[in-house]
Amino acid sequence: MTESLDALTSLVAGGGVVVLSGAGLSTESGIPDYRGPSGVARRHTPMTFQAFTRDPLARRRYWARSHLGWRLIARAAPNAGHRAVARLQDAGLVDAVITQNVDGLHSLAGSAPVIELHGRLDEVTCLDCGNLTSREELDRRLREANPDFVAHVAAVNPDGDVDLPDEQVAAFRPVDCGICGTGMLKPDVVFFGETVPPERVARCFALVEQARALLVLGSSLTVMSGRRFVIRAAKRGIPVAIVNQGPTRGDGHATVSVDAALGALLPALAERATGGVDADAATMVAPAGV
Ligand SMILES: [Zn+2]
């Protein structure tokens, strides 16, 4: 562990790093990682773009569940891992962050630039007129259309990831676009069965190809959407470092692989790589009562 942290530190301290982050970075902010160690309890198959756009019942079910789940996302805050990445970026060692996460927590932690590969849950797009609106605004409209829904369902099951009984889904009233009046609304995230906009992918490839090193944080690299950047880096001879809890599908391409909790390791890495004191790292090593 110390040895791999040393290797990781010298790679990052050299600068020119591009970060590729996944769900494992946000679990410590209370957002479940369906593919990582805490994902064994996964109960739902993901919504596909095809089902969402073609099946009114699937869409109603999605918005009913999402109306509950949004409360979890909206109150999530960046954790020590996000803050450490922002600090490495501030110090000029990380050039850009590419994230597979849709929670917006990198930006909230102060990272810039951040490319949100799969979009953001806090934005909503109209599939007819193309207007983007805020999820906050949609949440207000959904509350108005479903005044007692959250309180009623939360009383049944407080964990936020609920199997909604059919009668509760049937009682939920989704809303249409508030701008064109009739358009179908969709969170501005890339669903399964949907492709990432090509210009966004091209921008990520360009960043990876110019990088001195690619640092993967909290992704098992299960889907090609993220793994392709690791493959491209490896092909170009750009070193790849991976920090994740558990094995990943990119381990064969990695120069350094560390199996660790990100919220503990990243502040230590930031402190060593920047040669300064990291508030989060300092907190963790301070003896009790000091
Ligand atoms: Zn519209």
Side-chain angles (χ1 to χ4, degrees):
M1 173 74 178
T2 311
E3 229 170 75
S4 44
L5 182 56
D6 286 347
L8 193 61
T9 303
S10 55
L11 198 65
V12 171
V17 175
V18 167
V19 164
L20 171 65
S21 72
L25 188 58
S26 289
T27 48
E28 288 167 63
S29 293
I31 296 170
D33 169 7
Y34 289 114
R35 289 195 180 88
S38 60
V40 286
R42 180 180 192 144
R43 277 174 278 171
H44 302 278
T45 49
M47 171 63 66
T48 65
F49 182 71
Q50 289 72 18
F52 185 85
T53 49
R54 288 176 199 161
D55 178 355
L57 180 61
R59 195 159 59 245
R60 185 188 295 268
R61 185 177 295 279
Y62 175 88
W63 279 121
R65 283 177 41 74
S66 175
H67 189 51
L68 299 169
W70 171 247
R71 252 132 284 279
L72 185 71
I73 302 279
R75 64 166 184 254
N79 63 54
H82 296 107
R83 289 193 293 273
V85 171
R87 180 145 184 258
L88 288 169
Q89 219 163 354
D90 267 353
L93 300 179
V94 167
D95 291 342
V97 174
I98 301 169
T99 186
Q100 300 172 277
N101 299 341
V102 294
D103 53 36
L105 292 180
H106 275 298
S107 301
L108 265 180
S111 271
V114 178
I115 295 118
E116 282 147 331
L117 194 60
H118 296 158
R120 286 179 71 117
L121 261 186
D122 63 0
E123 290 176 343
V124 178
T125 184
C126 170
L127 293 179
D128 284 1
C129 72
N131 270 300
L132 268 187
T133 46
S134 78
R135 180 56 190 259
E136 212 178 342
E137 165 70 7
L138 175 65
D139 190 59
R140 191 185 57 70
R141 295 180 59 219
L142 286 174
R143 280 170 189 265
E144 275 172 18
N146 302 275
D148 304 318
F149 186 77
V150 170
H152 182 62
V153 176
V156 174
N157 191 338
D159 74 356
D161 185 25
V162 293
D163 280 309
L164 279 181
D166 286 347
E167 64 270 19
Q168 285 181 344
V169 172
F172 188 76
R173 298 177 56 203
V175 299
D176 292 326
C177 175
I179 294 169
C180 69
T182 54
M184 187 189 293
L185 293 178
K186 174 183 163 294
D188 195 29
V189 300
V190 177
F191 279 18
F192 282 80
E194 198 179 6
T195 51
V196 179
E199 65 280 2
R200 203 183 291 164
V201 178
R203 191 180 167 204
C204 294
F205 272 128
L207 282 168
V208 169
E209 286 171 2
Q210 288 158 19
R212 206 190 50 79
L214 178 64
L215 175 60
V216 180
L217 300 176
S219 174
S220 54
L221 299 168
T222 309
V223 292
M224 194 41 102
S225 176
R227 192 162 74 247
R228 58 188 160 179
F229 301 117
V230 170
I231 294 170
R232 178 67 60 93
K235 270 193 185 146
R236 298 284 170 113
I238 297 163
V240 175
I242 300 179
V243 185
N244 191 54
Q245 280 197 283
T248 82
R249 289 192 65 185
D251 291 345
H253 297 295
T255 323
V256 189
S257 240
V258 186
D259 190 331
L262 297 159
L265 183 123
L266 292 180
L269 172 66
E271 185 168 293
R272 286 158 150 245
T274 62
V277 176
D278 187 288
D280 290 309
T283 310
M284 279 190 302
V285 298
V290 174

